[in-house]
Amino acid sequence: MKRPGPLLTLLAGLLLAVFMLTLNATTGTKNASSSSQEASPSATPQVSPPPTGAPPSSSPPPPSKSAPPNADYAGRTDDNASAVAVSLRGGKAIAYFCDGRSKESWLKGDVKDDGTMKLTGKNGAELNGTLKDGSSIRGTVDLGGQRYAFTADKAVKPSGLYRATATVRGAKLDGGWIVLPGGKQVGILDRDGKPAAAPTIDPESSTVTVDGQTLTASPVTP
């Protein structure tokens, strides 16, 4: 048998080389360096820094409280022996305690936003009270070593607190009146430092006659 000649061997090698090139182009085979470059990331991802400030609060601020409304209150002590009247205006209060005979005290002070009050008067007199839903004041009056619990309901004119001062025939007069709901009055007229039961005032005109002279009793406000 004859061996293939050199020309046939060379031709077979060329055909094999052409076949391999055609196969690589068809299947898309890539070399190792190209694959390595594609596998590596092209850029380092950027990381956003954490926020430096706290986020704004979405909760609304608490509503501010307002001073108790202007009003007048009048009532009696729990033992029904004395009367108490309180007038509120602009966060201030003035009060009058009176037994209608000889014991009385004028007191004043501030009213807090929550309706509590501590009013003070002469000789250590003190009123501590709390406004209840704007309809009444419940509290105590300390006077002359005694404590009197009271309730004063909201008053509508002519109910309320009145006062008159004047000089009549050389005498200094100072009168205080509490007109209770229903019209009953409790008051003291001080004449030159001597207290006594006060004469009745006219609730329509707020006038009172003392020693033959007509005086006008004015509503009392802080």
Side-chain angles (χ1 to χ4, degrees), residues 138-161:
R138 178 65 181 170
T140 59
V141 173
D142 293 300
L143 179 65
Q146 290 184 287
R147 173 167 292 181
Y148 305 86
F150 73 91
T151 300
D153 295 325
K154 192 171 185 179
V156 179
K157 287 183 179 287
S159 298
L161 178 58

Side-chain angles (χ1 to χ4, degrees), residues 72 89 157 161-163 206 217-221:
D72 299 313
R89 296 292 187 279
K157 287 183 179 287
L161 178 58
Y162 297 84
R163 190 173 191 176
S206 300
S218 302
V220 178
T221 57

Side-chain angles (χ1 to χ4, degrees), residues 102-136:
S102 60
K103 190 177 295 185
E104 66 175 345
S105 180
W106 291 93
L107 311 100
K108 61 182 179 179
D110 296 329
V111 183
K112 295 182 179 180
D113 292 344
D114 60 1
T116 60
M117 64 193 78
K118 181 178 181 180
L119 314 182
T120 57
K122 293 181 178 179
N123 302 318
E126 186 174 296
L127 182 152
N128 289 278
T130 302
L131 185 62
K132 303 291 186 180
D133 299 325
S135 61
S136 66

Side-chain angles (χ1 to χ4, degrees), residues 21-90:
L21 289 174
T22 304
L23 181 62
N24 287 343
T26 303
T27 58
T29 304
K30 299 180 181 179
N31 58 33
S33 62
S34 175
S35 299
S36 175
Q37 290 178 358
E38 292 184 3
S40 61
S42 60
T44 303
Q46 298 295 322
V47 180
S48 300
T52 57
S57 174
S58 59
S59 301
S64 58
K65 294 182 178 180
S66 58
N70 298 340
D72 299 313
Y73 300 85
R76 285 189 170 277
T77 55
D78 289 358
D79 62 6
N80 204 35
S82 303
V84 178
V86 184
S87 178
L88 273 60
R89 296 292 187 279

